[in-house]
């Protein structure tokens, strides 16, 4: 697959983001694209950066450590979007500008501790599991407000908003209620005006459903396949 293919795909994705944002009266600049590069080798990621990608999303700490080291000369932002094991927190705070997938106080406390050691305030999103699928990570909507309140008190953590991953549907429209529910929760928790708690970001939407997510208010879309092609 040549460079032009990736470039073309990226352009198509950006056009689709712009079109859907405009069609629902949103500023296309209010939707940031996270190019999900998990399983993609550093060369492909370099190509994506050369084509204009500025935020990369990774799921696995070990893989990300190697890739980020290899691409350290590029001024891009790396986001962690996968399930984070507590014992990997010390790497996560060194590598990532935003961690999308914090779903427990235990993990947040460890991130706080590790971020403190390197004098960093780690930005995070709280992942919410709206489908109640046991296999998925995320806090329940019922526990969200309490968790957010406790995390907001951690000195080296800055909560920026929420993330979710709905079940997979063939028809993206079916994911819509999950996205609108995340927005409702964001507004609800935001309205509680908890000190030191940001609720501006909504990380939702992937290759199959990002347009619907943008209609429902996504500020970060996490797109892999539509940019890089099928993963091996
Ligand atoms: C892999 C992954 C994505 C990207 O999925 P695509 O369907 O390839 O766009 C987005 N978010 C998370 C959490 C992922 O694990």
């Amino acid at each position: 697959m040549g460079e032009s293919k990736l470039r073309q795909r990226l352009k198509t994705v950006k056009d689709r983001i712009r079109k859907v944002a405009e069609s629902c009266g949103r500023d296309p600049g209010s939707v940031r694209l996270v190019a999900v590069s998990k399983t993609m080798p550093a060369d492909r990621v370099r190509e994506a950066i050369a084509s204009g990608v500025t935020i990369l999303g990774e799921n696995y700490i070990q893989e990300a450590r190697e890739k980020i080291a290899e691409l350290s000369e590029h001024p891009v932002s790396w986001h962690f979007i996968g399930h984070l094991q507590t014992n990997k927190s010390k790497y996560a705070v060194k590598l990532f500008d935003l961690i999308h997938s914090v779903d427990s106080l235990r993990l947040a406390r460890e991130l706080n501790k590790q971020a403190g050691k390197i004098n960093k305030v780690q930005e995070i999103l709280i992942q919410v599991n709206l489908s109640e699928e046991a296999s998925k990570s995320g806090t329940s909507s019922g526990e969200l407000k309490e968790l957010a309140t406790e995390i907001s008190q951690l000195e080296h953590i800055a909560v920026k908003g929420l993330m979710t991953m709905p079940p997979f549907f063939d028809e993206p429209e079916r994911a819509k209620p999950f996205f609108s529910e995340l927005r409702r929760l964001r507004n609800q928790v935001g309205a509680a005006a908890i000190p030191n708690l940001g609720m501006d970001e909504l990380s939702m939407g992937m290759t199959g459903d990002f347009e619907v997510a943008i209609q429902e208010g996504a500020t970060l879309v996490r797109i892999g396949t539509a940019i890089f092609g099928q993963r091996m």
Side-chain angles (χ1 to χ4, degrees), residues 61-129:
I61 292 288
Q62 187 53 35
E63 181 189 336
R65 281 178 79 189
E66 292 167 20
K67 232 182 273 183
I68 294 172
E70 211 171 318
L71 297 167
S72 61
E73 79 275 21
H74 299 283
V76 289
S77 185
W78 294 88
H79 289 190
F80 191 78
I81 64 170
H83 175 69
L84 183 58
Q85 289 170 273
T86 304
N87 64 5
K88 302 277 170 65
S89 294
K90 73 166 177 236
Y91 302 112
V93 300
K94 284 183 190 145
L95 298 169
F96 297 102
D97 292 328
L98 181 66
I99 298 171
H100 291 225
S101 48
V102 176
D103 63 355
S104 72
L105 186 57
R106 180 167 167 265
L107 174 59
R109 281 191 175 134
E110 186 61 20
L111 288 167
N112 182 59
K113 182 173 141 195
Q114 299 299 338
K117 284 187 190 170
I118 59 168
N119 261 314
K120 179 185 185 185
V121 175
Q122 177 67 55
E123 298 191 345
I124 66 150
L125 305 177
I126 299 176
Q127 182 173 354
V128 187
N129 180 356

Side-chain angles (χ1 to χ4, degrees), residues 36 38 59 81 163 165 206-207 222-225 231:
V36 176
K38 63 175 174 223
N59 289 58
I81 64 170
M163 181 271 224
M165 236 174 113
M206 314 183 2
T207 290
R222 311 178 308 266
I223 302 178
T225 311
R231 287 180 288 274

